[in-house]
Amino acid sequence: MVSPLLVGVQGGRKMSGMSGNAPLDRLRAQRMLEELERLQGRGTELVSVYVPPGKAISEVMNDLRNEWGTAVNIKSKTTRKNVQDALTKVMERLKLFKSIPPTGLAIFAGNIASSQLGVGDMQTFVIVPPEPITIYYYRCEHQFLLDPLFNMLSAKDVYGLVVLDSKEAAFGFLKGNRTEIIKEYTSGVQGKTRAGGQSSRRYERLRDMYLNEWFIRLGDYFTEHFRNIPNLKGIIVGGPGPTKEDFLKGNYLHYELKDKILSQVDTGYTGPEGIKELVNRSREIMKDARYYEERQTVQEFLRHLGEDDGLGTYGEQEVLQALKGVNVQLLLISEEVRRTLYRLKCKSCGYVESRVVDNEKAADFEANLGQVKCLKCGGEVEILEKEDLIEALVKMAESVKAQVELISTSTEEGEMLRRSFGGIAAVTNYRTY
Ligand SMILES: [Zn+2]
């Protein structure tokens, strides 16, 4: 079966605007890449092509034609044919574009080894990435080469880093695995020990005044560097001593940035060394922040369940029902859910029903569809559509304006959601029982 797919890794602002849920956008893209990653060729015959923006299509076509010619040297007849067929597919896809999109293009093609059928399946995937591709290359491997796209996913989130004390401050960014120092400043504020001869009260007063001015300046620097950064997930503030706490407690930060402060961290240094210390601890800080939110979310669901107010519900059919009834305010999905939602239609009476099947059993389910009987009349059914359960749930939740939270199994609460509640739970707007 030839199944041409036009896939966009939907990430960045576009998708965030749609779902308002960045972890979800990432999970979607992540899932898609993981699916591509699983695909295997029988030989070294899966073709990956990355084209950066600005490249002329004619030039790329030319290079691909050359690769096609070079492939003549491949010894195995089957592999040779498959590589050339894949390259032809890539060129066919490329021809559909008038020019390379602003973020570039990644095209994957190849004969996918299928254990079931014993025959390959030529598939093509076109991905317009959320951020610009910076490489131009062609590879032919057992698997598709997806690292550049995986890296893009983790590089999407931006964190602000600041280390400060009364003397100096350094501002930086953490983008994916990359750290960037933006700027360093000095305050001009003198140390706590006064120079001889000055009255101590006057010295304190002056110092407070200078410190206040320093904090005002710092507030402006925060605004300058962080306020208009898209994808800024949070700011981590570090520094030795209590100055950072004094600064954050005071009213120096723009209110939009106040909400972005993820954490305050004691560091031994200021300046670039201090930023480095923050980076070393940032992974754990970001994880902590995320786990904290996940815990809170699951606990909210558990609270409703415990109070028996009729608002806590769980299980895929129950939650699907609530979503259909526009009766969900909060939807919780375990990231570990790997299931497919089928809509089945009866061939005799036309009755439509939903069935949820584990992904592992989906192929079996489809192969043995003849054994599935219509719930109404017992007639034979056909598949109307099938969709990843998480995707389906999220779409429904978005259409009824419910909040969606994806929960990892890294916390006890998340593990409980997966184990005890089938990975799917919801808080409804009103009770139905
Ligand atoms: Zn029927």
Side-chain angles (χ1 to χ4, degrees):
M1 188 190 75
V2 179
S3 69
L5 271 180
L6 183 71
V7 196
V9 172
Q10 314 225 15
R13 270 157 281 170
K14 210 166 86 195
M15 284 289 298
S16 301
M18 234 180 80
S19 71
N21 190 314
L24 180 65
D25 299 337
R26 189 172 27 233
L27 187 78
R28 282 174 174 167
Q30 183 94 23
R31 281 277 174 90
M32 200 202 69
L33 291 180
E34 279 170 8
E35 249 162 61
L36 288 187
E37 197 179 33
R38 269 195 291 276
L39 302 178
Q40 299 266 352
R42 286 192 180 285
T44 311
E45 57 186 49
L46 298 193
V47 166
S48 311
V49 176
Y50 284 82
V51 186
K55 206 89 186 149
I57 300 235
S58 57
E59 191 192 337
V60 184
M61 287 295 274
N62 218 17
D63 291 340
L64 290 172
R65 257 181 240 118
N66 284 338
E67 293 295 347
W68 196 95
T70 311
V72 172
N73 301 322
I74 297 170
K75 278 184 198 132
S76 151
K77 201 178 148 195
T78 330
T79 307
R80 185 196 318 144
K81 183 184 181 304
N82 286 339
V83 170
Q84 290 186 324
D85 285 355
L87 278 164
T88 305
K89 285 283 167 202
V90 172
M91 289 189 270
E92 278 173 19
R93 283 303 136 129
L94 197 57
K95 269 189 222 154
L96 299 177
F97 288 84
K98 281 205 185 78
S99 62
I100 301 296
T103 52
L105 205 54
I107 306 180
F108 306 94
N111 210 34
I112 307 304
S114 158
S115 55
Q116 277 194 324
L117 304 168
V119 288
D121 175 12
M122 180 60 75
Q123 293 197 24
T124 317
F125 306 89
V126 178
I127 292 179
V128 177
E131 278 166 57
I133 286 175
T134 51
I135 44 167
Y136 177 46
Y137 78 29
Y138 156 81
R139 286 283 187 289
C140 196
E141 305 274 351
H142 271 92
Q143 279 176 296
F144 292 128
L145 244 133
L146 301 158
D147 284 351
L149 294 174
F150 273 117
N151 289 344
M152 215 175 261
L153 282 186
S154 63
K156 223 176 58 187
D157 291 346
V158 179
Y159 292 86
L161 306 173
V162 183
V163 281
L164 63 92
D165 63 6
S166 60
K167 288 203 183 66
E168 57 180 353
F171 285 72
F173 282 124
L174 182 67
K175 296 174 178 172
N177 297 320
R178 219 154 34 82
T179 314
E180 207 179 284
I181 307 274
I182 322 169
K183 209 157 181 180
E184 293 173 63
Y185 302 95
T186 48
S187 70
V189 179
Q190 290 176 354
K192 271 200 171 144
T193 40
R194 67 196 160 102
Q198 276 179 297
S199 110
S200 96
R201 210 195 282 158
R202 180 180 140 74
Y203 180 83
E204 284 290 315
R205 216 170 41 232
L206 269 177
R207 192 175 180 278
D208 282 351
M209 199 182 79
Y210 285 130
L211 204 57
N212 185 48
E213 277 170 14
W214 172 232
F215 283 177
I216 291 170
R217 269 168 65 201
L218 280 175
D220 291 343
Y221 298 148
F222 268 81
T223 303
E224 182 189 332
H225 296 308
F226 296 139
R227 211 185 136 202
N228 293 314
I229 303 296
N231 300 329
L232 184 75
K233 297 290 168 226
I235 303 169
I236 303 165
V237 181
T243 311
K244 59 184 178 304
E245 281 89 8
D246 294 342
F247 168 72
L248 291 172
K249 263 184 264 159
N251 204 21
Y252 301 100
L253 266 187
H254 190 280
Y255 68 94
E256 282 173 17
L257 293 178
K258 262 190 184 169
D259 295 338
K260 297 259 183 190
I261 302 294
L262 268 186
S263 183
Q264 302 172 37
V265 181
D266 285 320
T267 60
Y269 299 92
T270 52
E273 278 301 308
I275 295 273
K276 218 185 273 173
E277 282 186 73
L278 280 194
V279 171
N280 290 339
R281 297 183 50 188
S282 61
R283 298 263 166 246
E284 108 205 34
I285 293 163
M286 285 178 250
K287 262 192 199 155
D288 284 350
R290 191 175 143 225
Y291 292 162
Y292 177 77
E293 280 175 28
E294 288 184 4
R295 263 193 209 112
Q296 300 284 96
T297 310
V298 178
Q299 277 165 7
E300 190 188 339
F301 157 70
L302 291 174
R303 190 168 48 79
H304 286 293
L305 210 61
E307 287 170 4
D308 202 20
D309 57 9
L311 301 186
T313 184
Y314 60 92
E316 50 217 17
Q317 290 299 344
E318 288 78 2
V319 171
L320 278 169
Q321 212 52 47
L323 283 166
K324 278 177 198 154
V326 197
N327 184 22
V328 172
Q329 50 168 303
L330 172 64
L331 173 64
L332 292 81
I333 309 172
S334 169
E335 286 181 359
E336 298 303 311
V337 169
R338 298 278 186 282
R339 271 172 251 171
T340 304
L341 174 69
Y342 287 91
R343 282 187 224 287
L344 305 175
K345 190 182 175 188
C346 173
K347 286 181 188 170
S348 318
C349 75
Y351 180 69
V352 175
E353 58 175 304
S354 306
R355 295 272 175 109
V356 177
V357 179
D358 285 348
N359 284 357
E360 286 172 2
K361 295 175 187 153
D364 267 1
F365 176 78
E366 287 176 32
N368 299 308
L369 200 62
Q371 291 163 22
V372 181
K373 300 293 175 219
C374 165
L375 286 180
K376 268 212 166 148
C377 75
E380 278 186 25
V381 298
E382 58 185 349
I383 295 171
L384 217 49
E385 55 178 333
K386 65 169 180 175
E387 202 177 10
D388 178 79
L389 180 63
I390 293 188
E391 289 285 331
L393 286 170
V394 167
K395 268 189 215 158
M396 290 171 83
E398 279 168 357
S399 73
V400 303
K401 306 231 175 336
Q403 183 191 342
V404 185
E405 297 295 341
L406 279 150
I407 312 288
S408 72
T409 48
S410 304
T411 67
E412 215 174 291
E413 284 84 349
E415 185 52 37
M416 190 191 280
L417 175 70
R418 185 189 68 83
R419 209 183 43 234
S420 309
F421 300 102
I424 295 163
V427 176
T428 59
N429 293 308
Y430 52 86
R431 69 182 305 156
T432 49
Y433 56 89

